[in-house]
Amino acid sequence: MYGLGILKGLGVTIRHFIDTYKNDVFYGFNKGKPAEEFGVRQGTKSEGIYTVQYPDEKVAVPERFRFTPFLVVNDADHPDAPGEDWCTSCGICSKVCPPQCIWIVRGTDPATGRPVPQPEAFFIDIDICMNCGFCAEFCPFDAIKMDHDYEMSNYDRTSVNIHDKERLSKPFSYYRSIAPTTAEEEADARGGWEHTDVIKEKKKAEAAAAKAAAAAAPKPAAVPVAEATADAAPVAEAVTAPAPEASADDEEQKKAERLAKREAALARKKAKGE
Amino acid sequence: MVDYEVQAPPTTGSAQDAAAYLKAKFPGAVSDDTRPGFQGVIVEAGKLTEVAQAIRDELGYNYLSSATAVDYHGAGDHMEMVYHAYRISGGGALNFKVQTDREKPVIPSLVSLYPGADFQEREAYDLYGIHFSGHPNLKRILMWEGFEGHPMRKDWKEAYYEGEAKPFDSRWPSGWVHRAEEKNIYGSNVRYPADFDLSKLADRSDEAVYSSASIGVDYQRMTDPDDIRTDQLVVNMGPHHPSTHGVFRMVLKLDGETITGLEPVMGYLHRNHEKIGERNTYLHNIPFTDRLDYISSMGNNFGYVMAVEQLMALGARYTAPTYRSEVIRVLMAELTRIVNHLWSIGFFLNDIGAFFTPMLYANAEREKILDFFEATAGSRLMCNYMRFGGVFKDLPERIRSTANLMNDKIRDYNTMEFLSDMINERLPRFLEEYDRYLTGNEILLERTVGQGVLSAQDAIAMSCAGPLLRGSGVAYDVRRADPYSIYPELDFDIPVGKQGDLFDRYKVRMDEMHESLRILRQLLPRLEQTKGEDIMVGTKAYSPRIPQGEAYGRVENPKGELGFYVVSWGDAKGTQNPWRYHVRAPSFINLTALGPMSVGQKVADVVAILGSIDIVLGETDR
Ligand code: SF4
Ligand code: SF4
């Protein structure tokens, strides 16, 4: 029969229409909709259309999501070096950046004129950044990471879109809050939650101490070596051990920070509205 | 209407045999390319037409995949045209080259033998200034006529030129930032050819407009009040037209409603991708390939890393990518095919008047796959996922998000469950429903059956690729014809059409999605088995040295055969930047068939015909 194909098709559209709204009707048009319902709706089992009412609702982005880069610095309450840059200004990110939008001024010691492992200035031209994530991927010190904040529109690109070091720097705890799993993997690879250099220093110190102990001991060489390696294992553990504690602290801090951020954002919103 | 054929294995000899035959037949005019890492033969320019004739008719290399130029400025000082021809029955390439002088480059045109060389020769003329004697319509194709110079020549410098090769020294260690546009202000960096009359641009008269579109409009006759024949009408569609899928322009010559001529005008999105690619290091190019066909960036990555891996394999220390990384690559490539076909079928239906509802349903499925891409690669479209020797990172354990902006809503799924739900349940169910929804629809059938027909011979001759070629009944698919990665061990068929009309192309795309699902179902157990294995070989080098040589890596991208011709030259120890980086873009070459398919059709059909080719302007214009 001519027209049967069209009728069948209309059946499909009606089906979709009903599927889209039946959940809303079930939950009384969003009143009393449980929070998990969002994930179900966005998942593979959903039926009907599942659009999100941006900006009232936003889909949180996954960990690996990349927008523009930021620089990792120590937290403000870091015991030894609060706020210190992780970047050693090695320049790899600027070389690996495809559109060449990273500009780094390597720091020099004013007394000796020798380079120091700290950037004096660090710029990223966000207009040019193509959000590729290479800088984060190839930085050997985990010092530059991809941010999740994609709401960066502004009215004047010439004055705001070159981000300097101050604008780029964000505390390590922020990174852990946006990418907990990746941060943990990276910490495992480094051997601890600290910066690679700090860990190295610590290990060196431990090794030196072990060596000194071995030299002091009047025993044949073979035994102290074994002892030293036996010592080294707990040492390595000791480095990673504070992690759970730190993570509990971090949890707190993360919360506080999120709260602060939210408040600041609210304030901005309000200011804009007025 | 659609039946299945499995590609027959190549039966007629290797490229070496073909080269030997040519050398014997044309003594003195054909010689081996003996540069280290290079393949194929070098043909003397004067004999090119004859040799090409023998290659096509006697040796059976009837499909000219790619024709492109290379400028060896400062390295032999000659220009070279490189052709890659294939047999449509499958097998490897016969690569032949012609060399010519840099100052006065002239090469015989191959358009009469391989009509698919038309746009590619025009591109070489436009970007390199090579003259093709005998070309029927040799004019610029990507740049406009007011453009000075030939931008792909090695000695041509772009408006914001900074250096020959990245990385630039000014970035580190004393990288005090500046903007290129502040030092080199727009307007002071624009040049016009000496004989170019700028005042011409202000002329808006009909005569000027019609004569600029060189499709043989007889302006005199059009305006002659005593002529009683039907008015010929020229209609300009685009570049800003919703049906052209981007900034693409078609100049149509109409007799009543019937199309009597069509001239595609492109290049509005041209950014000289290849020049950028030659300034870049090898690694830099990966995210740039995302921007070609931005609907299927995973496939683009795949083709490019394959080409560079071919070059790396010429060196001493090379290990092929691990099995798991190949499985993941194919997983991504097939998901991309589904993503692309959902998109292209949705828009095709838009084009024929099924306005946006089918598009929206298809997009809803596509979104889920993009969610997976986002969780794995970090981005929905610009995936930048593959690396030389592997992929960026293994699949994540969970597709999970953490709230960190205001109003954020959280999702959390197990990746493998998500994938298996998509592949085994959701997508098959959707395809079945879509079939019910549309395939039998009478209006759809009226609009598509018997329209925009392209014969198999024409499709091969015009170097068409992908669903356009297969819709015409040619079972040519690079995954079978010249297999790569783990495709040989996978079980799938190649859907083909019979008539080569719009419906066949639609149906081929639908069936290809089913076939992709079949492949994906075979990948799931492989993913489970290889869990925890390495996804990279060795350490990731940020600036690998690539041995000298040439490579042509091609993959069956959703839109057709995507090829990357990469040359590493200039340093015997290996190079860090490609000497030549060329993209054989299916969206670009498939457009060769647009004019021939449209002539004789009604003007309303041209929209559908263009939609059925499935182009993305990021790749067409490069
Ligand atoms: S690669 Fe890392 S450590 Fe090196 S300059 Fe860049 S951010 Fe700093
Ligand atoms: S994300 Fe890519 S483009 Fe952006 S700064 Fe990093 S390397 Fe450069």
Side-chain angles (χ1 to χ4, degrees):
Chain A
M1 193 186 86
Y2 197 82
L4 199 67
I6 297 178
L7 286 176
K8 263 199 221 156
L10 286 174
V12 173
T13 5
I14 288 174
R15 188 66 232 257
H16 269 261
F17 181 79
I18 295 171
D19 282 345
T20 302
Y21 289 105
K22 71 178 181 207
N23 243 8
D24 287 349
V25 173
F26 182 79
Y27 288 114
F29 288 92
N30 293 351
K31 277 185 244 100
K33 199 185 245 185
E36 314 85 71
E37 175 58 19
F38 183 81
V40 177
R41 195 72 196 263
Q42 295 287 323
T44 49
K45 300 267 193 291
S46 72
E47 288 174 324
I49 302 299
Y50 52 90
T51 39
V52 167
Q53 303 291 330
Y54 183 86
D56 295 330
E57 296 179 301
K58 289 171 197 163
V59 184
V61 290
E63 265 184 46
R64 290 186 192 174
F65 176 82
R66 50 185 145 81
F67 198 62
T68 52
F70 67 93
L71 289 173
V72 176
V73 298
N74 273 343
D75 289 354
D77 59 354
H78 189 278
D80 305 328
E84 188 165 284
D85 300 313
W86 281 40
C87 173
T88 62
S89 86
C90 70
I92 288 179
C93 56
S94 75
K95 288 182 191 134
V96 86
C97 172
Q100 298 281 289
C101 67
I102 303 183
W103 303 70
I104 304 168
V105 183
R106 187 171 57 197
T108 44
D109 190 328
T112 60
R114 298 257 293 276
V116 293
Q118 284 269 308
E120 188 183 323
F122 200 112
F123 307 96
I124 296 184
D125 190 339
I126 296 299
D127 282 338
I128 297 176
C129 170
M130 70 197 295
N131 320 115
C132 70
F134 275 168
C135 47
E137 190 178 337
F138 288 93
C139 171
F141 299 98
D142 293 325
I144 189 166
K145 293 292 163 202
M146 300 308 283
D147 207 347
H148 286 186
D149 185 0
Y150 49 84
E151 296 181 325
M152 285 170 49
S153 42
N154 60 59
Y155 289 101
D156 179 20
R157 74 182 179 93
T158 52
S159 60
V160 256
N161 280 359
I162 293 184
H163 290 185
D164 58 9
K165 200 169 124 195
E166 200 194 330
R167 165 86 205 247
L168 287 167
S169 297
K170 294 196 175 178
F172 181 59
S173 55
Y174 171 75
Y175 176 53
R176 283 188 63 182
S177 76
I178 62 169
T181 326
T182 322
E184 202 163 324
E185 279 165 18
E186 286 164 359
D188 274 351
R190 284 198 303 271
W193 284 106
E194 291 290 337
H195 187 269
T196 324
D197 285 348
V198 178
I199 294 168
K200 252 193 219 150
E201 290 285 303
K202 259 189 199 162
K203 280 207 179 129
K204 225 192 257 165
E206 304 285 358
K211 215 173 175 187
K219 293 275 174 210
V223 183
V225 170
E227 261 172 35
T229 38
D231 275 355
V235 164
E237 247 171 52
V239 178
T240 40
E245 274 173 41
S247 90
D249 282 351
D250 260 36
E251 208 62 55
E252 290 281 272
Q253 193 177 334
K254 204 164 69 181
K255 241 188 229 159
E257 216 164 82
R258 239 190 354 243
L259 218 77
K261 202 171 173 209
R262 208 161 281 195
E263 261 156 30
L266 266 172
R268 267 208 303 278
K269 201 177 177 188
K270 221 170 149 195
K272 245 186 228 168
E274 275 157 15
Chain B
M1 206 160 283
V2 172
D3 63 357
Y4 292 90
E5 269 178 41
V6 178
Q7 190 67 43
T11 47
T12 37
S14 69
Q16 278 75 21
D17 301 342
Y21 173 83
L22 288 174
K23 276 185 289 182
K25 182 159 176 171
F26 302 97
V30 177
S31 57
D32 282 323
D33 191 343
T34 50
R35 290 170 286 183
F38 283 62
Q39 306 102 36
V41 290
I42 298 178
V43 181
E44 199 158 290
K47 287 268 194 205
L48 176 68
T49 328
E50 279 169 63
V51 175
Q53 181 107 41
I55 289 173
R56 190 190 71 169
D57 297 338
E58 292 167 37
L59 293 166
Y61 286 92
N62 50 356
Y63 183 75
L64 182 74
S65 163
S66 147
T68 188
V70 189
D71 177 10
Y72 285 97
H73 177 57
D77 272 324
H78 61 273
M79 291 271 197
E80 196 168 286
M81 208 46 205
V82 185
Y83 303 87
H84 284 84
Y86 290 86
R87 294 189 176 107
I88 206 73
S89 53
L94 178 62
N95 166 347
F96 57 103
K97 307 183 181 92
V98 186
Q99 296 184 337
T100 181
D101 176 46
R102 254 192 113 245
E103 298 314 313
K104 278 202 172 340
V106 185
I107 288 174
S109 167
L110 289 187
V111 174
S112 55
L113 287 167
Y114 295 106
D118 183 355
F119 284 11
Q120 305 189 61
E121 284 181 358
R122 276 178 69 187
E123 184 188 320
Y125 164 73
D126 189 355
L127 305 182
Y128 282 91
I130 299 178
H131 288 262
F132 292 90
S133 50
H135 191 289
N137 184 23
L138 193 63
K139 53 178 190 177
R140 287 189 179 269
I141 188 165
L142 294 173
M143 316 303 296
W144 68 305
E145 61 274 23
F147 186 84
E148 155 103 319
H150 300 286
M152 281 304 292
R153 284 182 166 233
K154 284 280 176 194
D155 48 1
W156 189 91
K157 296 192 172 36
E158 60 271 30
Y160 292 113
Y161 174 80
E162 208 176 329
E164 282 302 318
K166 290 175 188 173
F168 299 136
D169 291 337
S170 60
R171 300 298 191 269
W172 179 86
S174 47
W176 290 108
V177 70
H178 67 261
R179 284 175 210 269
E181 62 198 278
E182 281 158 12
K183 295 212 162 170
N184 195 352
I185 295 154
Y186 178 73
S188 64
N189 58 17
V190 180
R191 276 172 295 146
Y192 297 99
D195 57 349
F196 186 70
D197 180 12
L198 272 175
S199 64
K200 203 175 90 184
L201 296 177
D203 187 355
R204 302 251 172 90
S205 68
D206 277 4
E207 187 168 4
V209 169
Y210 289 136
S211 60
S212 76
S214 56
I215 53 170
V217 181
D218 186 350
Y219 181 72
Q220 234 53 45
R221 214 197 85 195
M222 277 175 61
T223 46
D224 182 358
D226 298 330
D227 190 355
I228 55 164
R229 286 174 295 177
T230 334
D231 266 0
Q232 294 268 313
L233 190 68
V234 173
V235 173
N236 180 60
M237 283 179 74
H240 299 289
H241 190 282
S243 76
T244 56
H245 297 212
V247 273
F248 176 66
R249 180 174 155 213
M250 291 177 280
V251 185
L252 307 170
K253 190 165 69 154
L254 301 175
D255 186 352
E257 275 227 54
T258 312
I259 298 165
T260 55
L262 184 152
E263 167 114 1
V265 185
M266 57 194 102
Y268 295 95
L269 216 59
H270 181 63
R271 55 217 183 264
N272 219 344
H273 179 85
E274 295 176 6
K275 185 88 173 181
I276 300 173
E278 287 169 20
R279 300 251 188 266
N280 279 347
T281 67
Y282 289 94
L283 185 77
H284 287 163
N285 275 335
I286 301 176
F288 275 93
T289 63
D290 290 342
R291 275 84 178 159
L292 288 166
D293 172 2
Y294 40 79
I295 309 290
S296 22
S297 61
M298 290 279 192
N300 306 345
N301 286 180
F302 200 176
Y304 175 65
V305 299
M306 261 176 54
V308 176
E309 278 164 9
Q310 278 177 30
L311 283 174
M312 290 165 106
L314 299 170
R317 289 193 312 269
Y318 170 75
T319 5
T322 60
Y323 186 71
R324 181 168 174 86
S325 69
E326 291 286 10
V327 174
I328 294 180
R329 283 179 181 187
V330 173
L331 172 85
M332 294 306 184
E334 293 308 318
L335 285 172
T336 299
R337 195 177 315 281
I338 294 176
V339 164
N340 179 82
H341 286 354
L342 288 171
W343 183 262
S344 85
I345 286 183
F347 269 103
F348 172 67
L349 290 162
N350 254 8
D351 289 341
I352 63 173
F355 215 58
F356 273 110
T357 309
M359 172 79 239
L360 187 62
Y361 293 172
N363 244 355
E365 306 308 306
R366 174 176 174 265
E367 277 301 294
K368 310 257 175 203
I369 303 180
L370 297 190
D371 281 345
F372 168 67
F373 285 174
E374 191 183 30
T376 310
S379 191
R380 307 169 78 78
L381 293 183
M382 303 297 142
C383 295
N384 185 22
Y385 185 57
M386 311 216 180
R387 301 286 180 272
F388 310 134
V391 295
F392 159 56
K393 260 188 188 178
D394 207 335
L395 307 183
E397 202 62 38
R398 301 191 75 81
I399 299 177
R400 178 174 51 200
S401 52
T402 336
N404 66 313
L405 294 172
M406 279 203 306
N407 312 336
D408 267 358
K409 302 269 181 177
I410 295 174
R411 300 161 300 170
D412 187 2
Y413 318 108
N414 179 303
T415 309
M416 288 311 285
E417 274 170 27
F418 185 90
L419 269 182
S420 114
D421 271 2
M422 283 304 284
I423 292 166
N424 291 317
E425 285 162 39
R426 196 175 165 106
L427 286 169
R429 192 169 62 224
F430 167 77
L431 288 180
E432 188 266 325
E433 181 193 76
Y434 215 64
D435 245 346
R436 189 151 35 91
Y437 178 33
L438 288 160
T439 311
N441 185 302
E442 287 82 1
I443 303 174
L444 179 102
L445 295 175
E446 292 280 334
R447 278 305 301 273
T448 55
V449 174
Q451 306 292 325
V453 175
L454 180 70
S455 73
Q457 289 84 347
D458 286 352
I460 297 169
M462 288 191 272
S463 302
C464 296
L468 182 62
L469 180 66
R470 290 189 288 276
S472 296
V474 184
Y476 189 79
D477 186 315
V478 182
R479 291 174 296 169
R480 277 281 183 252
D482 191 8
Y484 52 95
S485 192
I486 60 163
Y487 282 110
E489 61 177 80
L490 297 170
D491 187 22
F492 63 100
D493 291 325
I494 296 166
V496 291
K498 279 238 167 74
Q499 307 182 346
D501 58 9
L502 301 182
F503 184 78
D504 278 358
R505 273 165 236 150
Y506 161 83
K507 197 73 177 70
V508 162
R509 290 200 173 95
M510 288 295 279
D511 289 335
E512 274 184 15
M513 285 196 270
H514 283 290
E515 292 305 318
S516 290
L517 284 177
R518 219 170 121 191
I519 297 177
L520 289 168
R521 277 194 284 271
Q522 297 167 51
L523 293 179
L524 286 177
R526 287 176 166 80
L527 280 176
E528 294 289 358
Q529 278 157 22
T530 56
K531 202 167 198 142
E533 285 178 20
D534 284 345
I535 41 108
M536 276 297 283
V537 283
T539 46
K540 255 189 237 178
Y542 70 88
S543 189
R545 274 195 178 274
I546 307 293
Q548 291 203 110
E550 64 172 354
Y552 184 59
R554 55 178 199 150
V555 288
E556 186 65 39
N557 230 31
K559 295 196 169 55
E561 177 186 332
L562 175 73
F564 288 90
Y565 178 67
V566 185
V567 175
S568 165
W569 194 248
D571 186 346
K573 289 205 294 288
T575 60
Q576 290 179 312
N577 307 75
W579 181 273
R580 178 78 175 107
Y581 162 80
H582 171 69
V583 185
R584 184 247 187 245
S587 294
F588 175 66
I589 297 170
N590 283 355
L591 280 175
T592 318
L594 176 65
M597 275 198 286
S598 304
V599 170
Q601 300 272 320
K602 297 277 183 282
V603 66
D605 291 325
V606 75
V607 174
I609 294 172
L610 182 69
S612 79
I613 298 179
D614 184 16
I615 58 166
V616 153
L617 272 301
E619 183 179 76
T620 305
D621 293 343
R622 282 159 295 144

